[in-house]
Amino acid sequence: MIKAKIFLLLFLSAHILHSQQTEAASGAYLIPRQIFVGDPATLVLPLSSAPGTDDVVLSQSDYLPKDPHIDFHRIILERRAVGSRLMIEFTPFIPGTVELPVIEIAGEYFSGLSVTVNSIINERSSPVLSGPASALAIPGTALMLYGSLTLIVFLIILSILFILRGQTLLKKLIEKIKRQRLFSTIRKTEKRLRKALYKNEDKRLIIDKLSDEFRIFLSCLTGNNCRSMTALEFEQKESENNICSLFLGKYFRDCDGIRFSGIKIVSGDIIRLLDDLKHFVDSLENPPEEKTA
């Protein structure tokens, strides 16, 4: 008797499962109707009427079915007197016809459910790279492009010119800077000696300093050793670099006469020598333009 009851229960369960599979194959539909790989979707399975009880919701991962190609989010069994339904929320990850595993909820089993998953990749043709995208018409692009090309060409030309003539120009620039510093130094020396004279410092030391600094200035300017030259040697030397040798001979003769005469040095003589030095440096640094007929 017990064996007969067990057999009857198994027969009824198989009959219910078979009817559910047939119903699933005929009445199930997808929301949305067309899905692609990675799209979340809901499979709705209409069921026969059932007594109006509470809905059953499976949302925890421990109670949801497991499948390597499908991610189940939630399963809802709605029981209505008018019409019940089973809703399966999932996301597929493979294309083609995907068969869902057996769904168990509230003591009921649902199998034979399958969905069709589309793919945006055409499997019939071999994958190839798409063509280059068309250029965007952004305002100012042409100006930026041609401006950059012009700047690059200009820099290349400047580099070539610098390689060909840069050393000569750089050498002239260095010589010009050295000349300006040299004239600035002798001007500062003249002002410093004039202030020392007004402060009543030792006049012999002032005139010695004036003679030495002026000779150093001439040595740097002409490239000759002017520190050991006498006044006569200055007069006999030919004029060069717009330097008047006759003026220099007379200047150092007067300077040596004051230094080695043994008489008391007068401030006026030093002032006159400082004035002559200032005028000479001014004329040497800014030579007057030659007058044309």
Side-chain angles (χ1 to χ4, degrees):
M1 186 66 180
I2 296 174
K3 293 182 178 180
K5 290 182 179 180
I6 295 174
F7 178 78
L8 180 60
L9 290 175
L10 293 174
F11 176 77
L12 292 176
S13 300
H15 179 71
I16 293 173
L17 181 60
H18 176 73
S19 62
Q20 289 173 345
Q21 291 177 353
T22 306
E23 190 177 11
S26 59
Y29 59 91
L30 273 174
I31 301 175
R33 293 185 177 277
Q34 187 178 16
I35 62 174
F36 294 86
V37 175
D39 290 345
T42 302
L43 178 63
V44 181
L45 177 64
L47 302 174
S48 58
S49 300
T53 58
D54 295 336
D55 298 340
V56 180
V57 180
L58 297 181
S59 58
Q60 297 183 3
S61 59
D62 295 338
Y63 300 101
L64 293 172
K66 307 296 182 181
D67 191 276
H69 305 299
I70 303 175
D71 188 7
F72 290 94
H73 308 301
R74 191 172 59 168
I75 299 176
I76 304 172
L77 178 60
E78 293 183 351
R79 293 173 176 175
R80 300 290 186 272
V82 177
S84 302
R85 61 180 182 174
L86 177 68
M87 293 187 296
I88 305 171
E89 298 177 1
F90 66 98
T91 300
F93 296 102
I94 58 172
T97 301
V98 180
E99 185 175 354
L100 276 64
V102 178
I103 307 297
E104 179 185 1
I105 182 170
E108 298 184 19
Y109 296 87
F110 301 90
S111 63
L113 301 175
S114 62
V115 294
T116 301
V117 182
N118 300 296
S119 175
I120 59 175
I121 301 176
N122 188 4
E123 298 179 353
R124 297 179 179 178
S125 60
S126 58
V128 294
L129 294 175
S130 60
S134 59
L136 297 177
I138 302 176
T141 303
L143 179 62
M144 181 181 66
L145 178 61
Y146 292 112
S148 302
L149 291 176
T150 304
L151 180 61
I152 293 173
V153 172
F154 183 70
L155 291 176
I156 293 175
I157 294 175
L158 284 181
S159 302
I160 295 174
L161 291 177
F162 181 78
I163 294 174
L164 296 178
R165 302 184 58 184
Q167 295 181 355
T168 303
L169 295 176
L170 187 61
K171 184 177 180 180
K172 290 182 179 180
L173 180 61
I174 294 175
E175 291 178 354
K176 184 177 181 180
I177 294 175
K178 288 183 178 179
R179 181 181 175 89
Q180 291 177 351
R181 293 182 61 183
L182 185 62
F183 277 92
S184 176
T185 302
I186 193 63
R187 290 182 185 280
K188 291 179 181 179
T189 301
E190 181 265 332
K191 292 180 181 179
R192 186 174 67 253
L193 294 177
R194 195 181 293 271
K195 289 180 181 179
L197 182 63
Y198 291 153
K199 293 180 181 180
N200 295 323
E201 296 184 7
D202 191 349
K203 296 179 178 61
R204 190 168 300 278
L205 293 178
I206 292 175
I207 197 168
D208 289 344
K209 190 68 174 177
L210 173 61
S211 178
D212 293 338
E213 292 294 335
F214 194 17
R215 289 174 181 273
I216 293 173
F217 167 75
L218 293 174
S219 299
C220 296
L221 187 64
T222 60
N224 300 321
N225 186 11
C226 298
R227 302 186 65 178
S228 60
M229 292 177 61
T230 62
L232 181 61
E233 290 176 342
F234 275 109
E235 292 178 352
Q236 294 176 351
K237 187 174 180 60
E238 295 182 358
S239 299
E240 57 182 8
N241 296 329
N242 297 327
I243 298 177
C244 181
S245 59
L246 295 178
F247 166 79
L248 295 178
K250 181 178 181 305
Y251 185 89
F252 285 110
R253 182 177 288 106
D254 295 341
C255 187
D256 293 341
I258 296 173
R259 294 172 64 191
F260 305 113
S261 63
I263 61 177
K264 183 179 180 181
I265 301 176
V266 183
S267 299
D269 295 336
I270 300 178
I271 292 175
R272 177 175 56 81
L273 291 175
L274 290 174
D275 291 339
D276 291 343
L277 172 63
K278 185 176 183 302
H279 294 318
F280 175 76
V281 171
D282 291 340
S283 62
L284 194 63
E285 186 177 12
N286 301 311
E289 297 180 359
E290 296 181 0
K291 297 182 180 180
T292 57

